[in-house]
Structure formats: C-alpha cells, structure tokens
Amino acid sequence: MTSGVGGVNSGAGTLEGTLSKWTNVMKGWQYRFFVLDENAGLLSYYTSKEKMMKGVRRGCVRLKDAVIGIDDQEDNTFTITVDHKTFHFQAQHSEEREKWVRRLEDTIRRHANRSRMWESQSTFYLGGYHKDSSNKRANYLEILGRRVSEADAYLQLMIEQTNVIEKRIAAITDPNEKQKCKALQDNASYESTYILVEQLLLGFPH
C-alpha cells in the first residue's frame, strides 16, 4: 500500500492534511488533501493543497450518521461508512490515523447529539400543539427532519461558495474593487441566511 505524505494541521474546528484515498482497482491509492470542518460535519478532499486554496474541491464525505471503521490488519488505515457507501483512507502512520479517527468520531458524535436535541425539542413543542394526536405529531416530526436535512444541504453549499468567494476577493489588488466585492459578499451572506431560515421553517404552523 502507498503511504500518505505530509503532516496534519489542526485548528479551531478544522483539521487538514494529506491522506491516501482508495479510488478503484485500476488507480489504487491516490494522494488527496483533506479538510475536516467539524462545525459543518463535512470531510472535503482536493487533489492538492493548491487546489484547496483555489476552492476546487474533488469531493466530500458527509459525516452525519457516519461510522468509522478500523482495520486490525493495518495500523494506518481506516474507513468511513455513510449512506450505504464505504470510503477507505490511509494515513502515514498509526499516530496520524489516531488523530484523524479521534477528530472524526468527535465530529460524528457532535452532530448525532445535535440531531437528538432537535428531535427532543420538536417532540416537546409539537406535543404541546397536538397533545391528543400522535399521528399529527409524527407527521410534523417527519416534516421537521426533512426541513433540517434540506437546510443542512443548503448550508454546505453556502459554506463552499463563501470559501471560493473569499479566496477570489483576497486575490484582488485594487482596494476600492476589493471593498465593493466585500460589501456585495456581506449582502449576499445576509440574504442566504434569510433563505436558510425560511427553508427550515417553511411549512410549519406559526
């Protein structure tokens, strides 16, 4: 097997570094630059760090409801299984694998707790509206779960687009032009946040 290269950089809410990712039988293990966003619950990967800086993402793995697997035969490999699909990864050594696995598991637990909190709060509030109707309460819980999933998907798109825009604005040399673009970005962020909240609440009784 090919070993991963490069170190692991850790920051507040993020972890980034190079791992090898299994692609297919023909191509085997391929080096990829990974960025773990713990707040978004997303593991993004790029063909290189330079591509990451430009916002050119190769793909991503959603960590909500994901399961981490450890290969007892290899001390530097692990898997992520989510949505009936398994991704295979290889670190440079066991210590590096341990760091990635620990942070990934922490992220998965955080988002699992967040989902349980949503469900608990939904049951409380919706139960107050429909004390005598378990069917209606179940329907509203189902709607809430769907709205949260849709809002989460929209949030991931917002995060990705914001990162790309920020990198492009940073590359602008004209101060006036940069200020105008920054103002447009701030206004767009406000509108996107409004849409996100509207997406979550749409269809619920007020």
Short mmCIF file of all heavy atoms in Angstrom, two decimals, residues 53-117:
data_model
loop_
_atom_site.label_atom_id
_atom_site.label_comp_id
_atom_site.label_asym_id
_atom_site.label_seq_id
_atom_site.Cartn_x
_atom_site.Cartn_y
_atom_site.Cartn_z
N MET A 53 -6.71 25.76 -1.86
CA MET A 53 -6.61 27.20 -1.72
C MET A 53 -7.44 27.92 -2.78
O MET A 53 -7.93 29.03 -2.56
CB MET A 53 -5.14 27.64 -1.83
CG MET A 53 -4.25 27.08 -0.73
SD MET A 53 -4.73 27.65 0.92
CE MET A 53 -4.35 29.40 0.78
N LYS A 54 -7.60 27.28 -3.94
CA LYS A 54 -8.40 27.87 -5.02
C LYS A 54 -9.88 27.50 -4.91
O LYS A 54 -10.69 27.96 -5.71
CB LYS A 54 -7.85 27.41 -6.37
CG LYS A 54 -6.45 27.91 -6.67
CD LYS A 54 -5.96 27.38 -8.02
CE LYS A 54 -4.55 27.87 -8.31
NZ LYS A 54 -4.04 27.35 -9.61
N GLY A 55 -10.21 26.65 -3.94
CA GLY A 55 -11.61 26.26 -3.76
C GLY A 55 -12.09 25.21 -4.75
O GLY A 55 -13.30 25.04 -4.94
N VAL A 56 -11.14 24.48 -5.38
CA VAL A 56 -11.51 23.46 -6.36
C VAL A 56 -11.58 22.11 -5.65
O VAL A 56 -10.58 21.39 -5.54
CB VAL A 56 -10.50 23.41 -7.52
CG1 VAL A 56 -10.95 22.38 -8.57
CG2 VAL A 56 -10.34 24.78 -8.15
N ARG A 57 -12.75 21.76 -5.17
CA ARG A 57 -12.91 20.55 -4.38
C ARG A 57 -13.14 19.33 -5.27
O ARG A 57 -13.88 19.39 -6.24
CB ARG A 57 -14.09 20.71 -3.41
CG ARG A 57 -14.22 19.59 -2.39
CD ARG A 57 -15.25 19.91 -1.34
NE ARG A 57 -16.60 19.96 -1.88
CZ ARG A 57 -17.68 20.17 -1.13
NH1 ARG A 57 -17.55 20.39 0.17
NH2 ARG A 57 -18.87 20.20 -1.68
N ARG A 58 -12.48 18.23 -4.91
CA ARG A 58 -12.64 16.99 -5.66
C ARG A 58 -13.90 16.24 -5.23
O ARG A 58 -14.58 15.62 -6.04
CB ARG A 58 -11.41 16.10 -5.43
CG ARG A 58 -11.44 14.77 -6.15
CD ARG A 58 -11.29 14.93 -7.63
NE ARG A 58 -11.14 13.65 -8.30
CZ ARG A 58 -11.02 13.51 -9.61
NH1 ARG A 58 -11.00 14.59 -10.38
NH2 ARG A 58 -10.90 12.32 -10.16
N GLY A 59 -14.19 16.30 -3.94
CA GLY A 59 -15.36 15.62 -3.41
C GLY A 59 -15.47 15.84 -1.92
O GLY A 59 -14.68 16.56 -1.31
N CYS A 60 -16.46 15.22 -1.30
CA CYS A 60 -16.64 15.37 0.14
C CYS A 60 -17.38 14.17 0.71
O CYS A 60 -18.04 13.42 -0.02
CB CYS A 60 -17.39 16.66 0.48
SG CYS A 60 -19.08 16.70 -0.14
N VAL A 61 -17.26 13.99 2.02
CA VAL A 61 -17.94 12.92 2.73
C VAL A 61 -18.75 13.55 3.85
O VAL A 61 -18.20 14.23 4.72
CB VAL A 61 -16.93 11.90 3.33
CG1 VAL A 61 -17.67 10.79 4.06
CG2 VAL A 61 -16.04 11.33 2.24
N ARG A 62 -20.07 13.34 3.81
CA ARG A 62 -20.93 13.84 4.87
C ARG A 62 -20.78 12.94 6.09
O ARG A 62 -20.82 11.71 5.98
CB ARG A 62 -22.39 13.84 4.41
CG ARG A 62 -22.68 14.79 3.25
CD ARG A 62 -22.85 16.22 3.72
NE ARG A 62 -24.01 16.35 4.57
CZ ARG A 62 -25.25 16.51 4.12
NH1 ARG A 62 -25.49 16.53 2.83
NH2 ARG A 62 -26.26 16.63 4.95
N LEU A 63 -20.59 13.52 7.26
CA LEU A 63 -20.31 12.74 8.46
C LEU A 63 -21.53 12.48 9.34
O LEU A 63 -21.44 11.73 10.31
CB LEU A 63 -19.22 13.43 9.29
CG LEU A 63 -17.86 13.56 8.58
CD1 LEU A 63 -16.89 14.35 9.43
CD2 LEU A 63 -17.30 12.18 8.25
N LYS A 64 -22.66 13.06 8.99
CA LYS A 64 -23.87 12.81 9.77
C LYS A 64 -24.26 11.34 9.61
O LYS A 64 -24.39 10.84 8.50
CB LYS A 64 -25.00 13.72 9.29
CG LYS A 64 -26.28 13.55 10.10
CD LYS A 64 -27.37 14.47 9.57
CE LYS A 64 -28.66 14.28 10.36
NZ LYS A 64 -29.75 15.14 9.84
N ASP A 65 -24.42 10.64 10.74
CA ASP A 65 -24.79 9.22 10.77
C ASP A 65 -23.70 8.32 10.19
O ASP A 65 -23.98 7.16 9.85
CB ASP A 65 -26.11 8.98 10.03
CG ASP A 65 -27.27 9.76 10.62
OD1 ASP A 65 -27.31 9.90 11.85
OD2 ASP A 65 -28.13 10.23 9.85
N ALA A 66 -22.47 8.82 10.08
CA ALA A 66 -21.37 8.01 9.56
C ALA A 66 -20.81 7.09 10.64
O ALA A 66 -20.99 7.32 11.83
CB ALA A 66 -20.27 8.90 9.01
N VAL A 67 -20.11 6.04 10.20
CA VAL A 67 -19.49 5.08 11.12
C VAL A 67 -18.02 4.92 10.73
O VAL A 67 -17.70 4.70 9.55
CB VAL A 67 -20.19 3.71 11.06
CG1 VAL A 67 -19.46 2.70 11.95
CG2 VAL A 67 -21.65 3.83 11.48
N ILE A 68 -17.13 5.05 11.71
CA ILE A 68 -15.69 4.89 11.48
C ILE A 68 -15.30 3.43 11.70
O ILE A 68 -15.70 2.81 12.68
CB ILE A 68 -14.87 5.78 12.43
CG1 ILE A 68 -15.28 7.25 12.27
CG2 ILE A 68 -13.38 5.62 12.15
CD1 ILE A 68 -14.99 7.83 10.92
N GLY A 69 -14.51 2.90 10.77
CA GLY A 69 -14.03 1.53 10.90
C GLY A 69 -12.51 1.48 10.96
O GLY A 69 -11.83 2.26 10.29
N ILE A 70 -11.98 0.56 11.77
CA ILE A 70 -10.53 0.40 11.92
C ILE A 70 -10.14 -0.99 11.42
O ILE A 70 -10.75 -1.99 11.80
CB ILE A 70 -10.10 0.56 13.39
CG1 ILE A 70 -10.44 1.95 13.90
CG2 ILE A 70 -8.61 0.28 13.54
CD1 ILE A 70 -9.70 3.06 13.20
N ASP A 71 -9.12 -1.04 10.58
CA ASP A 71 -8.62 -2.30 10.06
C ASP A 71 -7.57 -2.86 11.02
O ASP A 71 -6.51 -2.27 11.22
CB ASP A 71 -8.01 -2.08 8.67
CG ASP A 71 -7.65 -3.40 7.99
OD1 ASP A 71 -7.66 -4.44 8.67
OD2 ASP A 71 -7.36 -3.37 6.78
N ASP A 72 -7.88 -4.00 11.63
CA ASP A 72 -6.94 -4.60 12.59
C ASP A 72 -5.67 -5.11 11.93
O ASP A 72 -4.64 -5.29 12.59
CB ASP A 72 -7.63 -5.76 13.34
CG ASP A 72 -8.77 -5.27 14.22
OD1 ASP A 72 -8.71 -4.11 14.66
OD2 ASP A 72 -9.71 -6.05 14.45
N GLN A 73 -5.73 -5.35 10.62
CA GLN A 73 -4.56 -5.87 9.91
C GLN A 73 -3.58 -4.76 9.52
O GLN A 73 -2.42 -5.03 9.23
CB GLN A 73 -5.02 -6.62 8.64
CG GLN A 73 -6.00 -7.75 8.91
CD GLN A 73 -5.42 -8.82 9.81
OE1 GLN A 73 -4.24 -9.17 9.67
NE2 GLN A 73 -6.22 -9.33 10.73
N GLU A 74 -4.07 -3.53 9.48
CA GLU A 74 -3.23 -2.39 9.11
C GLU A 74 -3.30 -1.34 10.21
O GLU A 74 -4.38 -1.02 10.70
CB GLU A 74 -3.72 -1.78 7.79
CG GLU A 74 -3.69 -2.73 6.60
CD GLU A 74 -2.29 -2.94 6.06
OE1 GLU A 74 -1.39 -2.16 6.43
OE2 GLU A 74 -2.10 -3.87 5.26
N ASP A 75 -2.16 -0.79 10.59
CA ASP A 75 -2.16 0.17 11.69
C ASP A 75 -2.30 1.62 11.23
O ASP A 75 -2.24 2.55 12.04
CB ASP A 75 -0.89 0.03 12.54
CG ASP A 75 0.38 0.37 11.75
OD1 ASP A 75 0.28 0.67 10.54
OD2 ASP A 75 1.47 0.34 12.36
N ASN A 76 -2.48 1.82 9.92
CA ASN A 76 -2.59 3.20 9.44
C ASN A 76 -3.78 3.42 8.50
O ASN A 76 -3.88 4.45 7.85
CB ASN A 76 -1.30 3.62 8.72
CG ASN A 76 -1.03 2.77 7.48
OD1 ASN A 76 -1.52 1.65 7.37
ND2 ASN A 76 -0.25 3.30 6.56
N THR A 77 -4.69 2.45 8.42
CA THR A 77 -5.86 2.60 7.55
C THR A 77 -7.14 2.68 8.37
O THR A 77 -7.21 2.19 9.49
CB THR A 77 -5.98 1.43 6.55
OG1 THR A 77 -6.14 0.21 7.29
CG2 THR A 77 -4.76 1.34 5.67
N PHE A 78 -8.16 3.31 7.79
CA PHE A 78 -9.48 3.38 8.41
C PHE A 78 -10.52 3.61 7.33
O PHE A 78 -10.19 3.94 6.18
CB PHE A 78 -9.54 4.48 9.48
CG PHE A 78 -9.37 5.88 8.95
CD1 PHE A 78 -10.47 6.67 8.64
CD2 PHE A 78 -8.10 6.43 8.79
CE1 PHE A 78 -10.32 7.96 8.17
CE2 PHE A 78 -7.94 7.72 8.31
CZ PHE A 78 -9.05 8.49 8.00
N THR A 79 -11.77 3.43 7.69
CA THR A 79 -12.87 3.60 6.74
C THR A 79 -13.94 4.52 7.33
O THR A 79 -14.06 4.66 8.54
CB THR A 79 -13.52 2.26 6.37
OG1 THR A 79 -14.08 1.66 7.56
CG2 THR A 79 -12.51 1.31 5.74
N ILE A 80 -14.71 5.12 6.44
CA ILE A 80 -15.90 5.88 6.82
C ILE A 80 -17.06 5.31 6.01
O ILE A 80 -17.01 5.31 4.78
CB ILE A 80 -15.76 7.38 6.54
CG1 ILE A 80 -14.58 7.97 7.32
CG2 ILE A 80 -17.05 8.11 6.91
CD1 ILE A 80 -14.33 9.44 7.02
N THR A 81 -18.08 4.83 6.70
CA THR A 81 -19.26 4.29 6.03
C THR A 81 -20.45 5.20 6.30
O THR A 81 -20.77 5.49 7.46
CB THR A 81 -19.57 2.87 6.52
OG1 THR A 81 -18.44 2.02 6.27
CG2 THR A 81 -20.79 2.31 5.81
N VAL A 82 -21.08 5.66 5.23
CA VAL A 82 -22.24 6.54 5.36
C VAL A 82 -23.10 6.39 4.10
O VAL A 82 -22.57 6.23 3.00
CB VAL A 82 -21.81 8.01 5.56
CG1 VAL A 82 -21.04 8.53 4.36
CG2 VAL A 82 -23.00 8.90 5.87
N ASP A 83 -24.41 6.40 4.29
CA ASP A 83 -25.35 6.28 3.17
C ASP A 83 -25.05 5.04 2.32
O ASP A 83 -25.05 5.10 1.08
CB ASP A 83 -25.30 7.54 2.29
CG ASP A 83 -25.74 8.79 3.05
OD1 ASP A 83 -26.58 8.65 3.96
OD2 ASP A 83 -25.25 9.88 2.74
N HIS A 84 -24.75 3.93 3.00
CA HIS A 84 -24.52 2.64 2.35
C HIS A 84 -23.29 2.64 1.43
O HIS A 84 -23.18 1.83 0.52
CB HIS A 84 -25.75 2.21 1.53
CG HIS A 84 -27.03 2.24 2.31
ND1 HIS A 84 -27.29 1.36 3.34
CD2 HIS A 84 -28.10 3.07 2.23
CE1 HIS A 84 -28.48 1.63 3.85
NE2 HIS A 84 -28.99 2.66 3.21
N LYS A 85 -22.36 3.56 1.69
CA LYS A 85 -21.13 3.62 0.90
C LYS A 85 -19.94 3.69 1.84
O LYS A 85 -19.99 4.39 2.86
CB LYS A 85 -21.15 4.84 -0.03
CG LYS A 85 -19.96 4.91 -0.97
CD LYS A 85 -20.09 6.07 -1.94
CE LYS A 85 -18.93 6.11 -2.92
NZ LYS A 85 -19.04 7.24 -3.89
N THR A 86 -18.86 2.96 1.52
CA THR A 86 -17.68 2.93 2.38
C THR A 86 -16.49 3.56 1.67
O THR A 86 -16.17 3.21 0.52
CB THR A 86 -17.33 1.48 2.77
OG1 THR A 86 -18.42 0.91 3.50
CG2 THR A 86 -16.09 1.45 3.65
N PHE A 87 -15.84 4.51 2.36
CA PHE A 87 -14.65 5.18 1.85
C PHE A 87 -13.43 4.65 2.62
O PHE A 87 -13.48 4.53 3.84
CB PHE A 87 -14.76 6.69 2.04
CG PHE A 87 -15.95 7.31 1.34
CD1 PHE A 87 -17.19 7.36 1.96
CD2 PHE A 87 -15.82 7.84 0.07
CE1 PHE A 87 -18.29 7.93 1.33
CE2 PHE A 87 -16.91 8.42 -0.57
CZ PHE A 87 -18.15 8.45 0.06
N HIS A 88 -12.35 4.37 1.90
CA HIS A 88 -11.14 3.83 2.51
C HIS A 88 -10.03 4.88 2.50
O HIS A 88 -9.78 5.53 1.48
CB HIS A 88 -10.67 2.59 1.74
CG HIS A 88 -11.67 1.47 1.76
ND1 HIS A 88 -11.58 0.41 2.65
CD2 HIS A 88 -12.79 1.25 1.03
CE1 HIS A 88 -12.59 -0.42 2.44
NE2 HIS A 88 -13.34 0.06 1.47
N PHE A 89 -9.36 5.02 3.66
CA PHE A 89 -8.31 6.02 3.81
C PHE A 89 -7.06 5.39 4.42
O PHE A 89 -7.13 4.40 5.14
CB PHE A 89 -8.78 7.18 4.70
CG PHE A 89 -10.06 7.81 4.23
CD1 PHE A 89 -11.28 7.40 4.74
CD2 PHE A 89 -10.04 8.82 3.28
CE1 PHE A 89 -12.47 7.97 4.31
CE2 PHE A 89 -11.22 9.39 2.83
CZ PHE A 89 -12.44 8.97 3.36
N GLN A 90 -5.92 6.03 4.14
CA GLN A 90 -4.65 5.55 4.67
C GLN A 90 -3.81 6.73 5.12
O GLN A 90 -3.57 7.66 4.35
CB GLN A 90 -3.90 4.74 3.61
CG GLN A 90 -2.63 4.07 4.13
CD GLN A 90 -1.93 3.32 3.03
OE1 GLN A 90 -1.57 3.90 2.01
NE2 GLN A 90 -1.74 2.02 3.21
N ALA A 91 -3.39 6.69 6.38
CA ALA A 91 -2.53 7.74 6.93
C ALA A 91 -1.07 7.33 6.77
O ALA A 91 -0.75 6.22 6.35
CB ALA A 91 -2.87 7.96 8.41
N GLN A 92 -0.18 8.25 7.13
CA GLN A 92 1.25 7.97 7.00
C GLN A 92 1.71 6.96 8.05
O GLN A 92 2.56 6.12 7.77
CB GLN A 92 2.04 9.27 7.13
CG GLN A 92 3.53 9.12 6.87
CD GLN A 92 4.26 10.45 6.91
OE1 GLN A 92 3.68 11.47 7.27
NE2 GLN A 92 5.53 10.44 6.55
N HIS A 93 1.11 7.04 9.25
CA HIS A 93 1.48 6.12 10.32
C HIS A 93 0.33 6.03 11.31
O HIS A 93 -0.69 6.73 11.17
CB HIS A 93 2.77 6.58 11.02
CG HIS A 93 2.80 8.05 11.31
ND1 HIS A 93 2.00 8.65 12.25
CD2 HIS A 93 3.54 9.05 10.75
CE1 HIS A 93 2.24 9.95 12.28
NE2 HIS A 93 3.17 10.22 11.37
N SER A 94 0.46 5.18 12.31
CA SER A 94 -0.64 4.92 13.24
C SER A 94 -1.01 6.15 14.06
O SER A 94 -2.19 6.37 14.37
CB SER A 94 -0.26 3.77 14.18
OG SER A 94 0.92 4.08 14.91
N GLU A 95 -0.01 6.97 14.44
CA GLU A 95 -0.32 8.16 15.23
C GLU A 95 -1.17 9.15 14.44
O GLU A 95 -2.09 9.78 14.98
CB GLU A 95 0.98 8.84 15.70
CG GLU A 95 1.77 8.07 16.73
CD GLU A 95 2.59 6.94 16.12
OE1 GLU A 95 2.66 6.88 14.86
OE2 GLU A 95 3.15 6.13 16.88
N GLU A 96 -0.85 9.28 13.16
CA GLU A 96 -1.62 10.19 12.32
C GLU A 96 -3.04 9.66 12.13
O GLU A 96 -4.01 10.42 12.16
CB GLU A 96 -0.94 10.34 10.96
CG GLU A 96 -1.56 11.41 10.07
CD GLU A 96 -0.77 11.61 8.79
OE1 GLU A 96 -0.87 10.74 7.89
OE2 GLU A 96 -0.04 12.61 8.69
N ARG A 97 -3.17 8.35 11.95
CA ARG A 97 -4.50 7.77 11.84
C ARG A 97 -5.31 8.02 13.11
O ARG A 97 -6.49 8.37 13.05
CB ARG A 97 -4.42 6.26 11.60
CG ARG A 97 -5.80 5.61 11.47
CD ARG A 97 -5.74 4.11 11.33
NE ARG A 97 -5.39 3.43 12.57
CZ ARG A 97 -5.44 2.11 12.74
NH1 ARG A 97 -5.81 1.33 11.74
NH2 ARG A 97 -5.11 1.57 13.90
N GLU A 98 -4.68 7.86 14.26
CA GLU A 98 -5.36 8.05 15.53
C GLU A 98 -5.91 9.48 15.65
O GLU A 98 -7.02 9.69 16.14
CB GLU A 98 -4.40 7.76 16.68
CG GLU A 98 -4.96 8.04 18.07
CD GLU A 98 -6.15 7.18 18.42
OE1 GLU A 98 -6.28 6.09 17.83
OE2 GLU A 98 -6.97 7.59 19.28
N LYS A 99 -5.13 10.45 15.19
CA LYS A 99 -5.57 11.84 15.28
C LYS A 99 -6.79 12.08 14.39
O LYS A 99 -7.77 12.72 14.81
CB LYS A 99 -4.44 12.79 14.88
CG LYS A 99 -4.77 14.25 15.10
CD LYS A 99 -3.53 15.12 14.98
CE LYS A 99 -3.86 16.56 15.37
NZ LYS A 99 -2.65 17.42 15.35
N TRP A 100 -6.74 11.56 13.16
CA TRP A 100 -7.87 11.73 12.26
C TRP A 100 -9.11 11.02 12.79
O TRP A 100 -10.21 11.58 12.81
CB TRP A 100 -7.52 11.20 10.87
CG TRP A 100 -6.77 12.16 10.01
CD1 TRP A 100 -5.43 12.17 9.74
CD2 TRP A 100 -7.32 13.28 9.29
NE1 TRP A 100 -5.11 13.21 8.91
CE2 TRP A 100 -6.24 13.91 8.61
CE3 TRP A 100 -8.59 13.81 9.15
CZ2 TRP A 100 -6.42 15.03 7.81
CZ3 TRP A 100 -8.78 14.94 8.36
CH2 TRP A 100 -7.70 15.54 7.70
N VAL A 101 -8.94 9.78 13.23
CA VAL A 101 -10.08 9.00 13.72
C VAL A 101 -10.72 9.66 14.93
O VAL A 101 -11.95 9.73 15.05
CB VAL A 101 -9.64 7.56 14.05
CG1 VAL A 101 -10.73 6.82 14.83
CG2 VAL A 101 -9.30 6.80 12.77
N ARG A 102 -9.89 10.15 15.85
CA ARG A 102 -10.43 10.79 17.06
C ARG A 102 -11.26 12.02 16.71
O ARG A 102 -12.37 12.21 17.23
CB ARG A 102 -9.28 11.16 18.00
CG ARG A 102 -9.76 11.75 19.33
CD ARG A 102 -8.62 11.92 20.31
NE ARG A 102 -7.64 12.88 19.84
CZ ARG A 102 -6.42 12.55 19.38
NH1 ARG A 102 -6.06 11.28 19.34
NH2 ARG A 102 -5.58 13.48 18.98
N ARG A 103 -10.74 12.86 15.83
CA ARG A 103 -11.47 14.08 15.46
C ARG A 103 -12.72 13.76 14.65
O ARG A 103 -13.76 14.41 14.79
CB ARG A 103 -10.55 15.01 14.68
CG ARG A 103 -9.39 15.58 15.49
CD ARG A 103 -9.84 16.64 16.47
NE ARG A 103 -10.23 17.86 15.80
CZ ARG A 103 -9.40 18.86 15.49
NH1 ARG A 103 -8.10 18.76 15.81
NH2 ARG A 103 -9.84 19.94 14.89
N LEU A 104 -12.63 12.76 13.79
CA LEU A 104 -13.80 12.36 13.01
C LEU A 104 -14.91 11.82 13.91
O LEU A 104 -16.09 12.16 13.76
CB LEU A 104 -13.40 11.30 11.97
CG LEU A 104 -12.61 11.80 10.76
CD1 LEU A 104 -11.98 10.64 10.02
CD2 LEU A 104 -13.49 12.62 9.83
N GLU A 105 -14.53 10.97 14.87
CA GLU A 105 -15.53 10.41 15.79
C GLU A 105 -16.14 11.50 16.66
O GLU A 105 -17.35 11.48 16.94
CB GLU A 105 -14.88 9.33 16.65
CG GLU A 105 -14.56 8.06 15.88
CD GLU A 105 -13.91 7.00 16.75
OE1 GLU A 105 -13.30 7.35 17.79
OE2 GLU A 105 -13.99 5.82 16.38
N ASP A 106 -15.33 12.47 17.08
CA ASP A 106 -15.87 13.59 17.87
C ASP A 106 -16.89 14.38 17.05
O ASP A 106 -17.94 14.79 17.57
CB ASP A 106 -14.73 14.52 18.31
CG ASP A 106 -13.87 13.91 19.40
OD1 ASP A 106 -14.31 12.92 20.01
OD2 ASP A 106 -12.76 14.42 19.64
N THR A 107 -16.58 14.58 15.77
CA THR A 107 -17.49 15.32 14.90
C THR A 107 -18.80 14.56 14.70
O THR A 107 -19.89 15.15 14.74
CB THR A 107 -16.83 15.57 13.53
OG1 THR A 107 -15.62 16.31 13.72
CG2 THR A 107 -17.76 16.36 12.61
N ILE A 108 -18.70 13.26 14.49
CA ILE A 108 -19.90 12.43 14.30
C ILE A 108 -20.77 12.47 15.55
O ILE A 108 -22.00 12.60 15.47
CB ILE A 108 -19.50 10.99 13.95
CG1 ILE A 108 -18.83 10.95 12.57
CG2 ILE A 108 -20.71 10.06 13.99
CD1 ILE A 108 -18.19 9.62 12.24
N ARG A 109 -20.14 12.35 16.73
CA ARG A 109 -20.91 12.40 17.98
C ARG A 109 -21.58 13.76 18.16
O ARG A 109 -22.73 13.84 18.61
CB ARG A 109 -19.99 12.10 19.17
CG ARG A 109 -19.75 10.62 19.41
CD ARG A 109 -19.13 10.39 20.77
NE ARG A 109 -17.82 11.01 20.88
CZ ARG A 109 -16.69 10.38 20.58
NH1 ARG A 109 -16.71 9.13 20.16
NH2 ARG A 109 -15.52 10.99 20.71
N ARG A 110 -20.87 14.82 17.82
CA ARG A 110 -21.43 16.16 17.98
C ARG A 110 -22.70 16.33 17.14
O ARG A 110 -23.71 16.85 17.62
CB ARG A 110 -20.40 17.22 17.56
CG ARG A 110 -20.95 18.64 17.59
CD ARG A 110 -19.98 19.63 16.98
NE ARG A 110 -18.71 19.65 17.68
CZ ARG A 110 -17.70 20.47 17.34
NH1 ARG A 110 -17.84 21.30 16.32
NH2 ARG A 110 -16.57 20.45 18.00
N HIS A 111 -22.65 15.85 15.91
CA HIS A 111 -23.81 16.01 15.04
C HIS A 111 -24.93 15.04 15.41
O HIS A 111 -26.10 15.34 15.19
CB HIS A 111 -23.39 15.85 13.58
CG HIS A 111 -22.66 17.06 13.06
ND1 HIS A 111 -23.29 18.09 12.42
CD2 HIS A 111 -21.36 17.41 13.14
CE1 HIS A 111 -22.41 19.02 12.10
NE2 HIS A 111 -21.23 18.64 12.53
N ALA A 112 -24.57 13.89 15.98
CA ALA A 112 -25.60 12.97 16.46
C ALA A 112 -26.33 13.59 17.65
O ALA A 112 -27.56 13.50 17.75
CB ALA A 112 -24.97 11.64 16.86
N ASN A 113 -25.58 14.22 18.54
CA ASN A 113 -26.19 14.90 19.69
C ASN A 113 -27.07 16.05 19.24
O ASN A 113 -28.14 16.31 19.81
CB ASN A 113 -25.11 15.42 20.64
CG ASN A 113 -24.37 14.29 21.34
OD1 ASN A 113 -24.90 13.19 21.49
ND2 ASN A 113 -23.14 14.56 21.78
N ARG A 114 -26.62 16.76 18.20
CA ARG A 114 -27.40 17.87 17.67
C ARG A 114 -28.73 17.37 17.10
O ARG A 114 -29.78 17.98 17.30
CB ARG A 114 -26.61 18.60 16.59
CG ARG A 114 -27.28 19.84 16.03
CD ARG A 114 -26.40 20.49 14.98
NE ARG A 114 -25.12 20.91 15.52
CZ ARG A 114 -24.14 21.42 14.78
NH1 ARG A 114 -24.31 21.55 13.47
NH2 ARG A 114 -23.01 21.79 15.34
N SER A 115 -28.68 16.23 16.42
CA SER A 115 -29.91 15.66 15.85
C SER A 115 -30.87 15.23 16.95
O SER A 115 -32.08 15.43 16.85
CB SER A 115 -29.57 14.46 14.96
OG SER A 115 -28.79 14.86 13.85
N ARG A 116 -30.31 14.62 18.01
CA ARG A 116 -31.17 14.20 19.13
C ARG A 116 -31.79 15.40 19.83
O ARG A 116 -32.94 15.36 20.28
CB ARG A 116 -30.36 13.36 20.12
CG ARG A 116 -30.11 11.94 19.65
CD ARG A 116 -29.61 11.07 20.78
NE ARG A 116 -28.28 11.46 21.22
CZ ARG A 116 -27.16 10.94 20.72
NH1 ARG A 116 -27.22 10.04 19.76
NH2 ARG A 116 -25.99 11.33 21.18
N MET A 117 -31.02 16.50 19.91
CA MET A 117 -31.55 17.71 20.54
C MET A 117 -32.71 18.26 19.72
O MET A 117 -33.75 18.65 20.26
CB MET A 117 -30.45 18.76 20.65
CG MET A 117 -30.91 20.06 21.30
SD MET A 117 -29.62 21.33 21.29
CE MET A 117 -29.55 21.70 19.53
#
